Amino acid sequence: MSGKDNLTAVLYGIEDLRLEQRPIPTPKDDEVLLEMDSVGICGSDVHYLVNGRIGDFVVRKPMVIGHEASGIVAKVGSRVHNVRVGDRVAIEPGYGCRVCDFCKDGRYNLCPEMIFCATPPYDGNLTRYYTHPADFCYKLPDHVTMEEGALLEPLSVGVHACRRAGVGLGSEVLILGAGPIGLVTLITARSMGAGRIVVTDLLQNRLDVAKELGADGTLVVERGADEQDVVKKVHALFGGHAPDKTIDCSGAEATSRLSILATRSGGCAVLVGMGPAEIKLPLVNALSREVDIRGVFRYCNDYPGALSLVASGKINVKRLITHHFNIEETAEAFNTSRHGLGGAIKVMIHVQPKDKNNPK
């Protein structure tokens, strides 16, 4: 351990992100102490910085930021047997109470007592030393990098979304939004056997990346565009018919509506992106055509699948990482992610001292 050095990124409120030293925590019997390595910046992290809240989750006291992470086991609790000191692990940042009906049913992401990193009032893990339940730490194979381990968090969202949509061999999939979640959903859908995949976004540069990652078709949709015209353009990209799966990774009202209108009768529209608390949807259209509408809230039981996809080489998440920063440069890293500087997709912060231009 680096003596008393536990440099930590703490969000005090809107536009108030500070670096400060905190005590190195002691793991409980079922926890591990992790020497943190890589932490990716998520859109929710930026949202808390800019707005101080996401829905009912409000930053009311100083909160350690960060939840897309990997680290090295530095110490284990007395009841820990799945990992040992020195193991490199990916950290699933949310865990339930383990005793409620949702946890027992295997849907722990719906647990009302869910503890999730960097979601008020719980601290995240953009810090040099962090404790976490051992059973939510996944050992990384030697050939999987720490950066890839950190990216298992957003990738798990894509895995969960595709599972909720029922993506399988030959599925025709429309993905709305080409941000990080849209892109991981794209590569996941491809790995699960999807046939034709079309991606829409407001920005051409994002769609260029989607094309590079395997999208069969892309469409720039301008703000305020006529939705029936957009539907026609989408269907044209599918050869004149509607996709059977649509996954909205944006959360804007326009894309939530499009997810229903563009999906074929009897198909499935999955809503991943979270926008306004209430929006206007064409429900009669969905009901009369039996379009299933399914929500996604984070993920559950998806980390093993995400790790398998990366470890097997079926998908490559490295392309998503566009920028590297050291923890001392956290403010610059957030500014880069927030404003998409330099074509930023995924900004990675390296917690232990290292050359940001030559990350391990």
Side-chain angles (χ1 to χ4, degrees), residues 130-310:
Y130 167 76
T131 55
H132 199 71
D135 56 322
F136 279 81
C137 294
Y138 297 86
K139 184 177 179 180
L140 298 175
D142 291 342
H143 66 283
V144 175
T145 67
M146 299 297 271
E147 290 82 4
E148 289 174 307
L151 286 179
L152 293 188
E153 199 281 335
L155 180 59
S156 291
V157 177
V159 171
H160 194 59
C162 287
R163 284 175 167 173
R164 291 282 286 162
V167 174
L169 295 175
S171 294
E172 297 201 319
V173 183
L174 171 63
I175 297 173
L176 305 175
I181 296 301
L183 295 176
V184 294
T185 300
L186 161 63
I187 58 180
T188 300
R190 180 64 75 204
S191 73
M192 296 174 75
R196 178 168 289 272
I197 303 174
V198 171
V199 183
T200 71
D201 199 272
L202 297 170
L203 303 175
Q204 183 61 54
N205 66 305
R206 287 184 169 189
L207 293 176
D208 291 340
V209 178
K211 195 74 174 177
E212 179 185 333
L213 292 174
D216 299 291
T218 60
L219 176 66
V220 173
V221 179
E222 297 181 359
R223 294 185 188 276
D226 179 78
E227 62 184 15
Q228 290 302 323
D229 182 56
V230 175
V231 169
K232 290 178 182 178
K233 291 180 178 178
V234 165
H235 290 176
L237 290 171
F238 282 99
H241 58 272
D244 54 323
K245 319 287 184 185
T246 296
I247 303 175
D248 176 21
C249 298
S250 169
E253 180 173 311
T255 55
S256 296
R257 290 177 59 85
L258 185 61
S259 69
I260 294 172
L261 297 172
T263 303
R264 80 174 187 184
S265 297
C268 181
V270 173
L271 308 181
V272 182
M274 288 189 177
E278 296 185 9
I279 58 175
K280 190 175 182 179
L281 292 176
L283 285 181
V284 171
N285 180 286
L287 298 177
S288 63
R289 298 192 302 110
E290 292 196 351
V291 174
D292 290 348
I293 303 172
R294 298 178 183 175
V296 162
F297 186 58
R298 297 171 179 155
Y299 38 75
C300 63
N301 305 305
D302 295 302
Y303 254 68
L307 177 55
S308 178
L309 288 172
V310 172

